[in-house]
Amino acid sequence: MPIQRLPVLDKETMKDLDSTIRMLQGRLLRPELLQGAAYSVPRSEGLVKLDSMENPYDLPDEMRWKWLESLSEAKLNRYPDAHPDLLLEQIKLHGDIPPEMGLVLGNGSDELIQILVAAVAGTGKPILAAEPSFTMYRLLAGHLGLPFVGVPLDSDLRLDRTAFIEAMKNCSPSIVFLDWPNNPSGRLFPAEDLEAIIEAAPGLVVVDEAYHAFSQQTFASRLGQYPNLLLLRTLSKEGLAGLRLGFLAGPRVWTEQLDKLRLPYNINILTQQSALFFLRHPEVLAQQAAQIREQRDWLYGKMLELGIRVWSSQANFLLFCLPGKAATVDSGLRKKKILIKSFTGHPRLSDHLRVSIGTRQENEAFLAALESLL
Ligand SMILES: *Cc1c(COP(=O)(O)O)cnc(C)c1O
């Protein structure tokens, strides 16, 4: 076949440029990428931000100054520490990870999901997760050219263990992701169900404990008990979303392989030093997490009193259903300067909304606004 040469374009005719590039993309890029959408983040300036599970509390002034002081010696002219042993040790201590396990650090746990999926890309075997569950599993499988199988939760958003195991038998996934608690339902599926799934899985099972600070449950002590179990955590939801630090824990024989896909120096020096500081001073964030859990249970009770169908949650958010009204309530809240997450257009959750737990004041403002819109 003759080499197809690309035309050299006249700089004035920009429209030719775009259409020529599109033709080239059609030849070069994977169709999943061309058809797929980017992860979209709404603008939130000036809004009460209750859409993305952040910790709503500021740091106490004294702590903020100590933290800044701890950064003052960071050597920005040097590459970050490629062997941050102290940080790894603190992460294991803080996370109750058995000391003999290995760790891979990620620029957020999103990056670790990407590394996991990249590790099996090319095998053609699917990635499997519950439907609904965290969007990035599906998104990253698509980006890396792998099929994604979503196993529906039941009508009450419980895990259907039998269906899940059946689906694994049918499609032999290379990786099963289980967000525990589940995002967006906030449900903490029974640990026995997870164990049965881990035992029946033909490949890896990654238990994603992004909301560990609010569920206070973990599979950490089970690491090493199963050859196919890995654990994913992040500092994002407990109060350090801006740092971008997640970690994957599991037997070293696994982490050594996955670490090959990590870009060198992926954790910058400011993140490393800040994480070390906060892991050494865990009281403030732990206390804030306790406040968030208390606020979650308070808001849950109040929403039930309003007659709303709301799921009891072990995370820092609440999923609720407003049949026929979700879209108007969402835009009504937006007009009142409150941003939450809407699932309009979602195949399973079209009448559902998800609110992250804010400060007492924010939660009260949300509740009052919601009540006025019902
Ligand atoms: C938010 C979230 C993450 C991603 O967290 P980052 O560390 O901020 O990338 C991972 N898993 C689940 C289930 C989440 O909800």
Side-chain angles (χ1 to χ4, degrees):
M1 206 166 84
I3 295 174
Q4 228 178 318
R5 302 194 68 183
L6 294 169
V8 176
L9 300 171
D10 179 351
K11 252 195 167 170
E12 311 292 300
T13 51
M14 289 297 271
K15 82 177 195 315
D16 279 355
L17 179 64
D18 284 3
S19 58
T20 312
I21 291 174
R22 289 222 170 78
M23 180 209 42
L24 188 58
Q25 287 178 335
R27 270 196 260 148
L28 296 179
L29 299 183
R30 280 196 308 273
E32 312 90 70
L33 180 61
L34 285 169
Q35 284 146 26
Y39 184 81
S40 89
V41 179
R43 299 203 164 267
S44 58
E45 293 88 356
L47 302 180
V48 176
K49 197 167 181 305
L50 300 176
D51 68 325
S52 47
M53 286 79 116
E54 293 145 327
N55 173 339
Y57 300 107
D58 282 331
L59 289 175
D61 276 347
E62 194 198 347
M63 185 155 199
R64 176 175 293 278
W65 283 112
K66 277 197 203 156
W67 162 59
L68 287 172
E69 216 177 298
S70 81
L71 292 182
S72 66
E73 285 173 21
K75 292 197 183 316
L76 293 179
N77 57 321
R78 299 287 177 193
Y79 281 106
D81 191 350
H83 308 283
D85 297 334
L86 226 51
L87 177 59
L88 297 176
E89 196 183 307
Q90 286 293 324
I91 286 176
K92 281 188 193 171
L93 271 176
H94 177 75
D96 290 321
I97 307 297
E100 68 277 16
M101 290 298 131
L103 291 178
V104 185
L105 300 187
N107 190 338
S109 49
D110 284 349
E111 188 185 39
L112 295 164
I113 299 169
Q114 187 182 44
I115 285 177
L116 282 158
V117 177
V120 298
T123 63
K125 288 186 182 209
I127 302 296
L128 184 143
E131 184 58 47
S133 63
F134 185 44
T135 340
M136 292 307 281
Y137 309 143
R138 175 192 291 276
L139 199 78
L140 288 167
H143 286 179
L144 292 165
L146 284 177
F148 177 87
V149 176
V151 184
L153 297 178
D154 75 10
S155 58
D156 200 22
L157 300 179
R158 289 175 200 280
L159 185 77
D160 181 342
R161 187 210 288 204
T162 315
F164 209 89
I165 292 178
E166 194 57 31
M168 293 196 305
K169 283 199 183 125
N170 289 338
C171 74
S172 196
S174 51
I175 305 178
V176 170
F177 285 101
L178 280 164
D179 40 2
W180 200 66
N182 170 263
N183 171 9
S185 70
R187 279 202 184 284
L188 193 74
F189 303 135
E192 307 86 71
D193 286 355
L194 265 67
E195 284 167 355
I197 288 169
I198 295 164
E199 282 167 28
L204 277 171
V205 176
V206 179
V207 176
D208 181 348
E209 297 181 350
Y211 300 97
H212 168 252
F214 312 105
S215 73
Q216 300 175 289
Q217 303 284 321
T218 179
F219 262 60
S221 65
R222 293 173 177 88
L223 285 173
Q225 198 176 321
Y226 305 96
N228 59 339
L229 171 65
L230 297 176
L231 199 75
L232 194 59
R233 291 260 190 91
T234 173
L235 303 187
S236 293
K237 310 289 158 68
E238 60 185 276
L240 300 170
L243 267 192
R244 308 305 297 131
L245 187 69
F247 66 91
L248 182 78
R252 285 182 199 273
V253 184
W254 273 120
T255 56
E256 279 162 13
Q257 295 304 323
L258 296 165
D259 207 50
K260 293 177 186 172
L261 281 166
R262 193 178 53 80
L263 292 176
Y265 313 119
N266 65 330
I267 310 299
N268 74 71
I269 192 166
L270 298 178
T271 297
Q272 287 196 19
Q273 299 222 353
S274 302
L276 205 52
F277 173 83
F278 287 105
L279 292 171
R280 282 174 171 159
H281 300 88
E283 328 71 39
V284 170
L285 294 184
Q287 206 252 328
Q288 291 180 345
Q291 266 174 283
I292 293 168
R293 292 194 299 267
E294 196 188 296
Q295 280 299 300
R296 171 193 69 201
D297 297 342
W298 175 82
L299 186 59
Y300 174 72
K302 290 289 179 191
M303 289 172 76
L304 281 183
E305 280 171 25
L306 289 179
I308 295 172
R309 181 161 192 228
V310 53
W311 274 265
S312 95
S313 164
Q314 296 298 307
N316 62 343
F317 55 83
L318 292 166
L319 181 76
F320 57 106
C321 183
L322 298 174
K325 278 196 245 173
T328 48
V329 167
D330 179 50
S331 60
L333 287 170
R334 198 79 60 101
K335 284 196 194 95
K336 293 173 188 281
K337 304 273 183 229
I338 296 173
L339 179 64
I340 66 169
K341 166 80 178 173
S342 162
F343 291 92
T344 320
H346 188 288
R348 270 300 295 283
L349 299 173
S350 53
D351 284 325
H352 293 66
L353 299 167
R354 186 190 66 201
V355 61
S356 307
I357 306 303
T359 62
R360 175 65 179 244
Q361 213 178 9
E362 289 172 335
N363 299 335
E364 279 173 354
F366 161 73
L367 199 65
L370 178 65
E371 193 171 1
S372 75
L373 292 163
L374 288 177

